[in-house]
Amino acid sequence: CQYVPKNLLFQLLGLSIATLTTVTHYGLHFTVISNISLESNSYRVIHHAAFYFGICLSMTLVLAALLSSAATVRESQCLTAMGFFCFALAFCGLIPAACWRYTHSTEVEDSMMDMYDLVYEEVRRNTSTVRRQELTAIHEAFLCCGKHSPLGDTANIERKTCPSSQVHDAGQDCLKQIQDFLKKHMDFVSTLLGVTIGFTVYGMILTSFLWFSIHFSSNLDRKGKYILR
């Protein structure tokens, strides 16, 4: 049966989502912003929500693939129906996630840059030594150096908080660097979402076909048989 090898694709897809989710949640670029986010900033909420959603989605896809494989081997209508339910559940979660991605495409980017602006301005006003350490951590994570400020007087800040390998004249503007990094990451997330939606629909079609195949074959096996009473 060719259905079992196809289920391996769903398992690999689920593992890919789990890997991307883990990298996004524990990656240096994201944790350095999450650790300094304020409660009023939406980034921390999005950061945790994306992690739990990604883990649940990957587990649902892997479970659907395992149930479908077991249903194929055992020719069980019950297991097939459970596999279809898991695919449908994943699809119902993916559609709102894809809609949120395109309707709130700049929310993550704006919240991260807002936090950088906040830390940068507090360091410029010399209000906190902790903020200076946080700004240094951001510069080291994104390999950038300061930003173009209309207020001027930024050389002193950048000299104290930028990595030694970064020269201000050749260094990357941090707001631009954050924007470019997130664009690449979110493009990859969008691609994975689209592929997952396509495979989820494909999985629902396959499990439906499998359920009807098992159902009609079991009915055909009963025809022509006599039961002695």
Side-chain angles (χ1 to χ4, degrees):
C1 182
Q2 296 180 354
Y3 189 69
V4 175
K6 291 177 181 178
N7 282 325
L8 295 177
L9 296 176
F10 293 107
Q11 296 180 28
L12 291 175
L13 184 60
L15 293 176
S16 299
I17 294 174
T19 302
L20 178 62
T21 301
T22 303
V23 170
T24 302
H25 188 73
Y26 294 105
L28 178 61
H29 296 84
F30 297 98
T31 54
V32 72
I33 300 294
S34 179
N35 291 336
I36 65 176
S37 294
L38 304 176
E39 293 183 358
S40 58
N41 189 282
S42 61
Y43 176 78
R44 184 173 293 183
V45 176
I46 298 173
H47 186 70
H48 290 292
F51 174 74
Y52 293 123
F53 172 79
I55 294 299
C56 291
L57 177 62
S58 63
M59 292 175 62
T60 302
L61 288 174
V62 171
L63 179 60
L66 293 176
L67 288 173
S68 300
S69 298
T72 305
V73 174
R74 301 183 61 179
E75 297 186 355
S76 171
Q77 289 180 269
C78 180
L79 292 176
T80 305
M82 293 173 64
F84 177 85
F85 174 77
C86 288
F87 281 121
L89 185 64
F91 180 78
C92 291
L94 283 166
I95 295 302
C99 292
W100 186 92
R101 166 67 185 92
Y102 288 102
T103 57
H104 299 77
S105 58
T106 62
E107 187 169 343
V108 177
E109 176 185 310
D110 292 342
S111 60
M112 289 184 73
M113 291 194 295
D114 287 344
M115 284 308 305
Y116 180 81
D117 281 332
L118 174 65
V119 174
Y120 191 91
E121 292 305 318
E122 289 191 5
V123 172
R124 189 179 65 83
R125 293 192 297 266
N126 294 321
T127 57
S128 174
T129 56
V130 176
R131 288 301 192 188
R132 186 176 295 108
Q133 296 174 356
E134 294 171 347
L135 185 63
T136 302
I138 295 175
H139 288 164
E140 291 176 351
F142 286 92
L143 296 177
C144 58
C145 185
K147 67 174 185 176
H148 299 296
S149 175
L151 300 176
D153 192 25
T154 60
N156 187 42
I157 301 174
E158 293 162 359
R159 186 170 58 253
K160 293 180 178 179
T161 60
C162 288
S164 57
S165 59
Q166 291 286 323
V167 181
H168 176 252
D169 293 335
Q172 294 286 338
D173 179 86
C174 276
L175 295 179
K176 183 68 167 56
Q177 191 75 351
I178 291 173
Q179 189 178 32
D180 292 342
F181 171 79
L182 280 179
K183 185 180 184 302
K184 293 178 182 178
H185 186 80
M186 296 307 289
D187 286 345
F188 186 75
V189 170
S190 299
T191 302
L192 189 58
L193 275 176
V195 171
T196 306
I197 290 174
F199 271 94
T200 302
V201 173
Y202 181 60
M204 289 191 291
I205 295 174
L206 281 180
T207 48
S208 300
F209 177 78
L210 180 62
W211 189 91
F212 282 109
S213 298
I214 296 173
H215 176 73
F216 287 116
S217 64
S218 62
N219 287 341
L220 289 174
D221 289 340
R222 295 193 185 97
K223 292 183 178 181
K225 294 184 178 180
Y226 297 91
I227 299 176
L228 298 177
R229 297 183 181 276

